[in-house]
Amino acid sequence: MHGVLLTGFVPFGDFSLNPSQQIAEALHGERIEGHRVESLVLPVEFGLDVESVLPAIEQIQPHLVLSLGLAARAPCLWVERIALNLRRLDGGERPIIERGPAAYFARLEAESVASAIRAVDVPAVAHVYAGNYLCNHIMYRVLHHLSREGDTRRAGFIHLPPSSALAIDMGCDQSPSLPLEQMEIGVRAAIASVLCSET
């Protein structure tokens, strides 16, 4: 296993931009701690997200799978601890995997990763869980896939706040936001911290 698979999402809803897509694309091909970053931008649709990422895991065989997503209310980078077996639907909620485990813990130390991000002057905290929409869905499905395969590689999820450009575009002058370049520095530090923890 070698390399990093970094995923983001396309814009959705009223958001004209998605910083997770922008950062994934910006880091594609970069080498961090000797590992090449391979980036993948996912559709915002249940099922199609998994159909994109699981084959990429098998093809690339990365040492680390790190997914990014946008959380409009996040005041900083949220390093997620837990993915729940829970999917939001119009009529309520249902399990992502019937009779699957109730939750999976991220395969990285969330507080250590958040600390590494803060060390490069980017605000970040270890957050409890990834919600019940696509971000949680992809985190759960990746961890479920690795668990079923007996695969020990590292995997996790980071929620990003809106970028400053997105906040301005949305007219959300009271919403939390960070410059895209600052979040990119934070994601790079997060990846490095996980890779360094293995050496």
Side-chain angles (χ1 to χ4, degrees), residues 74-181:
C76 63
L77 275 68
W78 285 346
V79 184
E80 303 296 355
R81 288 189 173 102
I82 298 169
L84 299 178
N85 187 11
L86 192 65
R87 170 182 165 179
R88 184 176 65 195
L89 299 171
D90 291 340
E93 296 173 335
R94 58 170 287 183
I96 294 170
I97 301 288
E98 292 291 342
R99 296 181 295 279
Y104 284 106
F105 284 99
R107 292 187 177 189
L108 49 78
E109 295 294 331
E111 185 53 59
S112 295
V113 173
S115 179
I117 296 171
R118 292 193 298 270
V120 294
D121 296 323
V122 179
V125 296
H127 194 248
V128 179
Y129 72 99
N132 59 0
Y133 192 50
L134 260 296
C135 293
N136 177 73
H137 184 255
I138 200 67
M139 183 181 178
Y140 185 92
R141 287 298 304 266
V142 167
L143 292 168
H144 183 71
H145 173 76
L146 297 179
S147 178
R148 289 189 63 186
E149 296 294 320
D151 198 319
T152 59
R153 77 187 73 200
R154 311 296 290 278
F157 193 98
I158 297 177
H159 263 124
L160 308 171
S163 64
S164 300
L166 177 57
I168 292 169
D169 185 64
M170 295 291 293
C172 302
D173 57 348
Q174 300 301 315
S175 296
S177 64
L178 287 172
L180 186 68
E181 296 79 7

Side-chain angles (χ1 to χ4, degrees), residues 5 17 37 65 131:
L5 176 58
L17 303 169
V37 177
V65 182

